[in-house]
């Protein structure tokens, strides 16, 4: 699909954000009424491509949010700012972006596999330190 057609289609999708479902369907019908069969096929393929990308973004975000779920409330007891700086050399914002899947540069922030391993190791180190302190106290 050429750039001009993609732009038209993207504008159509954006304009639909403020419309009811029925209004949007009517707008799409009117839009497609003026297009050739080749253009309609191209729009169909482009729509499937966009939908697939959005589903992948959703899956990626869901996977990263599951890291937060895996923390299962312990993040309240951990200094994430210190953890982020000590183990990743990054800011508190950086780790929160990944834990919550916030959008960064137009896509959801997520941990790489290496960063997940580092996070796991950091939590294991913290747990060992807590264990040692608890044993000293008892």
């Amino acid at each position: 699909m050429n750039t001009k057609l993609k732009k038209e289609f993207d504008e159509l999708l954006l304009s639909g954000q403020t419309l009811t479902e029925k209004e949007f369907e009517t707008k799409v019908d009117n839009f497609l009424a003026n297009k050739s069969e080749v253009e309609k096929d191209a729009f169909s393929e482009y729509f499937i491509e966009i939908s697939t990308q959005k589903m992948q973004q959703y899956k990626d975000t869901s996977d990263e949010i599951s890291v937060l779920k895996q923390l299962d409330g312990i993040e309240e007891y951990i200094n994430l700012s210190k953890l982020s700086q000590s183990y990743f050399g990054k800011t508190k914002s950086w780790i929160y972006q990944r834990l919550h899947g916030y959008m960064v540069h137009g896509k959801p922030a997520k941990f790489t596999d290496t960063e997940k391993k580092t996070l796991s190791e950091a939590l294991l180190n913290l747990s060992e330190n807590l264990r040692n302190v608890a044993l000293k106290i008892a």
Side-chain angles (χ1 to χ4, degrees):
M1 177 186 298
N2 70 41
T3 307
K4 181 183 176 214
L5 289 175
K6 280 185 179 182
K7 185 176 179 183
E8 284 181 54
F9 189 67
D10 290 341
E11 288 172 359
L12 173 69
L13 291 178
L14 283 174
S15 71
Q17 292 178 347
T18 58
L19 303 176
T20 67
E21 185 176 342
K22 183 71 175 162
E23 290 170 333
F24 184 65
E25 285 177 14
T26 301
K27 188 167 186 167
V28 170
D29 289 343
N30 292 336
F31 179 79
L32 293 175
N34 299 322
K35 302 298 177 199
S36 70
E37 289 304 313
V38 172
E39 290 173 320
K40 287 178 186 179
D41 289 343
F43 282 125
S44 179
E45 289 175 21
Y46 185 55
F47 183 76
I48 290 169
E49 178 185 327
I50 289 172
S51 298
T52 302
Q53 288 172 357
K54 291 297 180 187
M55 289 302 292
Q56 186 61 47
Q57 285 177 345
Y58 174 76
K59 182 188 176 304
D60 291 346
T61 301
S62 296
D63 289 347
E64 292 312 309
I65 290 174
S66 72
V67 171
L68 180 60
K69 285 183 179 179
Q70 289 173 18
L71 290 176
D72 198 28
I74 67 165
E75 74 278 3
E76 298 172 26
Y77 303 101
I78 298 172
N79 184 336
L80 289 173
S81 178
K82 183 74 171 163
L83 184 140
S84 184
Q85 185 168 12
S86 297
Y87 290 90
F88 296 98
K90 305 287 184 177
T91 64
K92 178 180 176 180
S93 297
W94 178 88
I95 199 164
Y96 274 94
Q97 289 168 346
R98 277 136 192 85
L99 287 171
H100 295 279
Y102 295 150
M103 297 298 280
V104 176
H105 303 295
K107 56 186 177 182
K110 62 182 183 174
F111 290 105
T112 64
D113 289 340
T114 303
E115 290 167 344
K116 286 179 185 178
K117 185 172 173 73
T118 301
L119 178 59
S120 177
E121 291 170 359
L123 293 171
L124 288 170
N125 287 342
L126 289 172
S127 70
E128 184 63 26
N129 289 340
L130 287 170
R131 183 180 184 282
N132 289 337
V133 169
L135 290 173
K136 288 178 186 176
I137 292 171

